[in-house]
């Protein structure tokens, strides 16, 4: 039986898909009948997928129409499987990489019953959902029209995703703008490194060099109005720097982090060039209200809170917002080999890393019967907690923090609040620390936040406490059960490095930006594909022949060409002379 | 039949300044056909130029826009140039002359099918090559401006190997233009009998623009004294200058800014008595309209090269050690602009409008810190500017006067000529310059003569070696080693010659010309190279020896005159 053979063949390469197809139901809409020439033809509802007369001839013609495209392309994508006639034909004509998108499992099942697909099933890849593979090189999309008509929405989406893949695959130019100081400074750096790792060309505008200057303004005047005016002017200047860098670097996308010194006017200027602008607001919107002034100026506004924040954003008339929670940077936040000395210095049964916010001070004062170390600034060294405060309450840098997470048996992660005594019952966003501790392989107890839902599995990957007593119980439990703690932290670590890295966030962000009517910015990158140029000039013309010498470069512009000519020896040909003349025109 | 192509892709003024060259060509080769390639922005100007048989245009601005906007593909843009070259090359030319000083045009001219190429061009390997000796001189000019006595128009004539004949620029104002001009004037309620004075307020660069307030003051003075109408001319982009003028001046001008194309401008100017402007294109239009002009020459304008080309025009310049300056000067305080006061210019206006030829009737002692010159065609047919205020003869000026015959004289057999030449030069000097500084200048000249003696002897030594070398090269069995040796012997002399040019700027015109000529030597043929080198050295010897003779004679004559103190005026 055809089906058995087909399924067996498919199972070799795609066992999951083979199962799905086997388990697919029959559909009354699908009608297979014999065509006039013999091979089976397919009708779904009232749409004929293949010819009633000669589906094989039709398949051959269909492939023939794409002949040129096929020879140029590196990858072939087919929309619509039908009964596979055209796939068979295609496989006969080319050895290239073929991917077929077909959402209808019943159709696949039906075709496997009536057509011998053994030649093709192990060769091609069939995708039935929205996953989009990434391709290298040029891709041609061949469509089986009737199939498209049946599942228009599906194919539209797939096509759009493929386009996104293509754009991302080619690499984008991204400018990351960080703040002058503050938490998102590190985030800017992590984003930048991640994007570079993903193959994009990145420029990080590091405004931390102006930290001294900005703080100096405080020393110049005590007059608040004057101070604000000066800071405002300073931001304007820094914005000008960023615009200038933009004009030189010519990015496709500008990503600004919270508190990046970019005035709304400068964002508008940048947008005029067709650059897509994104802002990652990694703050608590209730606490930092400046989002009101800037959110509307960016193409995309990313937040670490949803629900209430989304409501407010929508009320402001915006709809450019997306949820994008924080993450960890495994290159930095990672398990380390710890020396004995470090263990002594950094290690403890229970640790707390963070600034001494109101709620933390109160909360931890109930914790002093443990081997506790408190790290961070703004703790009251005259309080009961004095003995636990490390380094006299001075700043801990990232290096040290990573060591603390690596050496503590239990890390307490209590999200900050300026007016709750303990836990904020309405706490929504998840702080970076949550991810960082896990990324280091550390064990943590974190207070309940609505944002944790969907990010981690409670009890398996992360342990959550609801109040002081709960915490106490859990500390005792896990100090007594280190293997359980270890298991949970291992799960947590795996989850973080799989789903919650800055690279993952950047992928998601770019997906959103690029999907949304994206076009590379009009900076005038005038490089054209050598192949296209040669074709346009005419392969047999003097110019065409000359340009084909640049084939190894793929894309060139006039400057590339004239540089090559100037570097050469011997007499100038007419073509070379004309090209130099063109260049001289623009000086 | 001579097919001649002239490439002039520069501005309107430069285009008009090529007309005597074209006239010369037509005169020398009556059967010739002149094809002119111009920037399409100036096609209108060509309507009035009588010598053009074939006009080709290229839209430079449009092309640049295409290139910079990036909307068109590289191939499309390439094809435009290819088509241009093919169109030009639909015939083969006997001579192609590029008077455009740009690398773009240099490359273009190198692609032209012509038996002889002159002007700024590139070699087959893409290097700048300046083919004709006079073109080399032309490009020599800028480093040696102070010593250059020739106007650009005359340099074009020399490049074209034609004699000066027109004594001015050539342009035919059509009947239509005359009619339009009349209409324009009557619209502004200006009558035939009115005395009209034209002003052009703007200029291509800020530095050389006389302040509008000065023009306004001048206008008021002219109006008061002569009751004339002041006509303002300019491009539409200069409308704001006219507006400023109207604010400053008491007299109401006739504002024709942006209202006249070239032809109409010429038509209107013909009806004026006088035209006053900075160094601009319309200045040249005024000269060919046949009216007197006053050229206000400030900042880095070198009026001897770019001033009014015609008989009897005036130039006024500040009398400062820094004037005129170079293009690369960054000046913080254009003192020259303020020294050329409206009062000073008004004196020249009076001279021009009173119609008398004898400026000696005017008391120029009132005019302080400026110099006034009048244009005049000398016996050699080339233009000169005669100082009217008896300035002192400083050494630079003296060398400039000396270089004129040095560069003009082509051969050695002119001993008798030199005597006569020097005598007339010195008569002129005594008539136009004061005795102040004269002996100082002559002393310097004496000292320099010693260096020149050395220069001449080095040239002779090299020439002798070169002659032996050429003989050797002409042999059937050349001794390559001997040839190499000989070239090496010449080298140190050559370096010394060039060094003299560096240490003594007064001889730099000679050495630079020499160096450019050597640079232009192309090809691998040893015989050709050797023979051409010989020509270059012989030319250098001719010029330096002539210079020697001239200096000796001038020295003698001037000393005689100084002793007699028969100078027109000592200040």
């Amino acid at each position: 039986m055809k089906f058995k053979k087909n399924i067996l063949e498919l199972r070799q390469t795609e066992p999951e898909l083979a199962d799905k197809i086997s388990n697919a139901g029959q559909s009354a809409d699908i009608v297979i009948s014999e065509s006039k020439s013999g091979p089976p033809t397919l009708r779904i509802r009232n749409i004929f997928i293949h010819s009633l007369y000669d589906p094989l001839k039709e398949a051959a013609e269909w492939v023939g129409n794409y002949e040129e495209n096929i020879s140029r392309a590196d990858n072939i994508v087919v929309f619509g499987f039908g009964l596979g006639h055209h796939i068979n034909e295609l496989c006969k004509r080319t050895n290239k990489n073929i991917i077929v998108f077909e959402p209808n499992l019943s159709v696949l099942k039906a075709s496997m019953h009536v057509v011998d697909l053994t030649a093709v099933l192990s060769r091609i890849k069939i995708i039935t959902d929205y996953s989009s593979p990434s391709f290298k090189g040029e891709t041609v999309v061949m469509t089986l029209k009737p199939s498209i008509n049946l599942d228009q929405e599906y194919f539209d989406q797939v096509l759009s995703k493929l386009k996104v893949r293509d754009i991302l695959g080619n690499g984008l130019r991204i400018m990351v703008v960080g703040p002058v100081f503050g938490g998102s400074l590190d985030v800017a750096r992590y984003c930048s490194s991640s994007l570079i790792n993903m193959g994009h060309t990145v420029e990080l505008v590091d405004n931390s060099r102006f930290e001294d200057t900005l703080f100096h303004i405080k020393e110049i005047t005590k007059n608040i109005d004057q101070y604000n005016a000066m800071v405002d002017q300073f931001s304007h200047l820094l914005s000008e720097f960023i615009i200038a860098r933009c004009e030189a670097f010519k990015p496709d996308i500008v990503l600004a982090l919270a508190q990046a010194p970019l005035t709304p006017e400068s964002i508008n200027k940048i947008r005029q060039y067709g650059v897509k602008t994104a802002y990652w607001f990694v703050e608590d919107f209730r606490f930092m209200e400046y989002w009101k002034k800037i959110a509307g100026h960016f193409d995309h506004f990313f937040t670490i809170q949803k629900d209430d924040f989304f409501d407010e954003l929508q009320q402001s008339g915006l709809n450019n917002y997306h949820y994008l929670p924080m993450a960890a940077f495994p290159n930095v936040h990672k398990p380390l080999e710890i020396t004995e000395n470090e263990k002594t210095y950094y290690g403890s049964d229970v640790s707390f890393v963070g600034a001494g916010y109101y709620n933390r001070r109160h909360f931890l004062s109930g914790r002093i019967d443990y081997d506790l170390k408190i790290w961070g600034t703004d703790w009251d060294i005259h309080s009961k907690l004095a003995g636990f405060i490390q380094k006299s309450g001075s700043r801990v840098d990232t290096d040290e923090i990573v060591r603390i997470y690596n050496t503590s048996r239990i890390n307490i992660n209590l999200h900050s609040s300026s007016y709750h005594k303990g836990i904020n019952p309405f706490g929504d966003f998840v702080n970076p620390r949550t991810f960082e501790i896990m990324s280091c392989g550390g064990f943590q107890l974190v207070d309940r936040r609505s944002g944790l839902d969907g990010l981690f599995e409670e009890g398996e990957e992360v342990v959550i406490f609801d109040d002081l007593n709960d915490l106490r119980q859990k500390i005792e439990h896990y100090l007594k059960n280190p293997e359980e703690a270890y298991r949970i932290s291992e799960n947590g670590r795996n989850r973080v490095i799989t789903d919650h890295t800055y690279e993952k966030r950047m992928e998601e962000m770019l997906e959103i930006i690029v999907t949304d009517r994206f076009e590379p910015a009009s900076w005038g990158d005038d490089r054209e594909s050598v192949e296209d140029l040669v074709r346009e000039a005419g392969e047999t013309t003097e110019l065409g022949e000359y340009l084909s010498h640049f084939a190894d470069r793929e894309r060139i512009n006039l400057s590339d060409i004239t540089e090559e000519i100037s570097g050469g020896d011997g007499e100038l040909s007419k073509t070379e002379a004309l090209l130099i003349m063109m260049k001289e025109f623009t000086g | 039949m001579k097919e001649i192509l002239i490439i002039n892709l520069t501005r309107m003024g430069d285009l008009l300044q090529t007309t005597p060259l074209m006239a010369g060509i037509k005169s020398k080769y009556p059967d010739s056909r002149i094809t002119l390639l111009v920037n399409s922005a100036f096609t209108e100007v060509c309507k009035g130029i009588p010598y053009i048989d074939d006009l080709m245009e290229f839209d430079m601005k449009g092309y640049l826009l295409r290139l910079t906007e990036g909307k068109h593909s590289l191939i499309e843009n390439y094809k435009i140039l290819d088509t241009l070259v093919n169109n030009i090359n639909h015939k083969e030319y006997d001579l192609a002359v590029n008077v455009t000083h740009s690398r773009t045009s240099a490359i273009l001219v190198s692609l032209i099918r012509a038996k002889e190429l002159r002007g700024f061009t590139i070699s087959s390997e893409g290097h700048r090559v300046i083919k004709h000796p006079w073109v080399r001189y032309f490009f020599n000019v800028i480093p040696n401006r102070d010593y250059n006595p020739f106007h650009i128009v005359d340099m074009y004539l020399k490049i074209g190997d034609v004699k000066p004949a027109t004594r001015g620029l050539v342009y035919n104002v059509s009947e239509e233009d005359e009619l339009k001009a009349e209409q324009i004037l009557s619209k502004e309620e200006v009558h035939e009998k009115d005395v009209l004075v034209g002003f052009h307020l703007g200029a291509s660069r800020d530095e050389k623009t006389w302040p509008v307030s000065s023009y306004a003051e001048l206008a008021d003075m002219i109006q008061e004294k002569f009751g004339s109408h002041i006509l303002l001319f300019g491009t539409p982009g200069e409308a704001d200058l006219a507006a400023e003028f109207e604010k400053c001046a008491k007299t109401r001008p006739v504002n024709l800014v942006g209202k006249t194309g070239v032809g109409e401008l010429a038509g209107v100017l013909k009806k004026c008595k006088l035209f006053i402007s900075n160094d601009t294109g319309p200045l040249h239009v005024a000269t060919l309209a046949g009216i007197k002009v006053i050229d206000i020459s400030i900042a880095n304008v070198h009026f001897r090269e770019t001033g009014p080309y015609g008989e009897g025009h005036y130039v006024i310049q500040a009398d400062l050690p820094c004037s005129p300056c170079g293009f690369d000067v960054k000046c913080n305080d254009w003192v020259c602009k303020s020294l050329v006061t409206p009062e000073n210019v008004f004196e020249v206006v009076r001279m021009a409008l009173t119609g008398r030829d004898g400026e000696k009737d005017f008391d120029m002692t009132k005019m302080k810190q400026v110099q006034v010159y009048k244009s005049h065609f000398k016996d050699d047919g080339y233009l000169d500017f005669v100082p009217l205020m008896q300035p002192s003869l400083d050494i630079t000026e003296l060398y400039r006067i000396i270089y004129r015959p040095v560069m003009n004289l082509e051969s050695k057999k002119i001993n008798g000529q030199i005597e006569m030449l020097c005598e007339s030069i010195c008569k002129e000097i005594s008539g136009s310059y004061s005795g102040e500084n004269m002996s100082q200048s002559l002393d310097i000249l004496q000292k320099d003569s010693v260096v020149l003696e050395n220069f001449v002897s080095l040239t002779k030594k090299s020439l002798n070696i070169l002659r032996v070398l050429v003989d050797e090269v002409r042999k059937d069995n050349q001794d390559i080693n001997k040839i190499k040796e000989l070239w090496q012997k010449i080298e140190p002399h050559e370096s010394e010659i060039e060094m003299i040019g560096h240490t003594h700027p007064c001889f730099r015109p000679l050495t630079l010309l020499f160096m450019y000529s050597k640079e232009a030597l192309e090809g691998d043929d040893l015989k050709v190279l050797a023979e051409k080198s010989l020509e270059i050295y012989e030319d250098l010897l001719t010029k330096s020896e002539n210079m020697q003779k001239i200096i000796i004679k001038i020295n003698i004559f001037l000393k005689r005159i100084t002793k007699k103190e028969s100078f027109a005026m000592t200040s």
Side-chain angles (χ1 to χ4, degrees), chain B residues 132-138 140 144 407 507-519 536 539-540 543:
Chain B
H132 184 269
W134 267 102
V135 182
R136 282 173 225 147
Y137 178 78
F138 188 72
N140 181 357
N144 296 299
M407 292 303 178
F507 300 120
R508 204 176 291 163
L510 295 174
T511 57
L512 264 189
L513 201 55
F514 174 64
M515 277 151 64
Y516 279 137
S517 308
K518 284 195 298 161
E519 211 180 275
I536 293 172
D539 184 60
L540 185 63
K543 289 199 162 68

Side-chain angles (χ1 to χ4, degrees), chain A residues 528 533 536-537 543 547 557-558 561 569-575 577-582 584-586, chain B residues 58 60 63-64 67 73-79 81-82 85-86 103-104 107-108 111 122 124-126:
Chain A
E528 297 174 67
L533 286 172
E536 196 186 340
L543 178 61
L547 290 175
N557 60 14
L558 187 58
I561 297 172
D569 285 317
E571 282 195 29
L572 283 179
S573 65
K574 178 184 173 201
T575 306
L578 283 174
L579 288 164
I580 298 188
M581 195 174 153
M582 266 173 80
E584 285 293 328
F585 249 100
T586 52
Chain B
F58 185 63
M60 309 264 291
Y63 190 69
L64 183 61
L67 291 175
S73 81
L74 193 135
I75 309 297
E76 280 177 354
N77 291 337
Y78 174 93
K79 285 193 176 146
L81 291 185
D82 195 24
V85 172
N86 290 340
R103 203 160 137 73
T104 312
I107 300 167
L108 179 63
L111 293 168
I122 61 168
S124 55
E125 297 210 9

Side-chain angles (χ1 to χ4, degrees), chain A residues 301-319:
Chain A
F301 190 70
F302 293 93
T303 67
I304 57 174
Q305 296 155 300
K306 12 184 199 183
D307 307 319
D308 288 351
F309 194 11
F310 282 7
D311 282 342
E312 290 224 12
L313 286 164
Q314 203 173 52
Q315 268 172 37
S316 316
L318 300 170
N319 66 351

